[in-house]
């Protein structure tokens, strides 16, 4: 739905914008939203969502932090 579209746009802007600081902000926002949604899904639907959605997003944020 709309949520996935907004996240896709945020992450795409993170990859495509020429200004590194703005691109990084969009990437952090997109990955942060994915991580939070994964935590919510794990709490309300199924714990497996934590490992399928949150862990990759957090690893992406960590990689971005250490890059």
């Amino acid at each position: 739905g709309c949520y996935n579209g907004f996240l896709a746009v945020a992450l795409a802007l993170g990859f495509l914008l020429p200004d590194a600081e703005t691109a990084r902000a969009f990437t952090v926002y997109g990955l942060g939203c994915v991580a939070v949604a994964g935590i919510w899904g794990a709490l309300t639907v199924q714990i497996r969502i934590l490992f399928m959605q949150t862990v990759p997003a957090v690893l992406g944020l960590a990689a971005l932090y250490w890059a």
Side-chain angles (χ1 to χ4, degrees):
C2 287
Y3 163 78
N4 290 329
F6 293 137
L7 289 181
V9 169
L11 293 172
L13 287 172
F15 284 112
L16 299 174
L17 288 174
D19 179 51
E21 189 173 325
T22 304
R24 184 179 182 99
F26 274 103
T27 303
V28 169
Y29 172 77
L31 289 173
C33 287
V34 170
V36 170
I39 292 168
W40 182 255
L43 292 172
T44 60
V45 179
Q46 184 177 354
I47 192 70
R48 180 174 169 234
I49 294 171
L50 184 73
F51 301 104
M52 299 299 294
Q53 185 170 337
T54 302
V55 170
V58 170
L59 291 175
L61 285 168
L64 190 62
Y65 176 77
W66 284 307

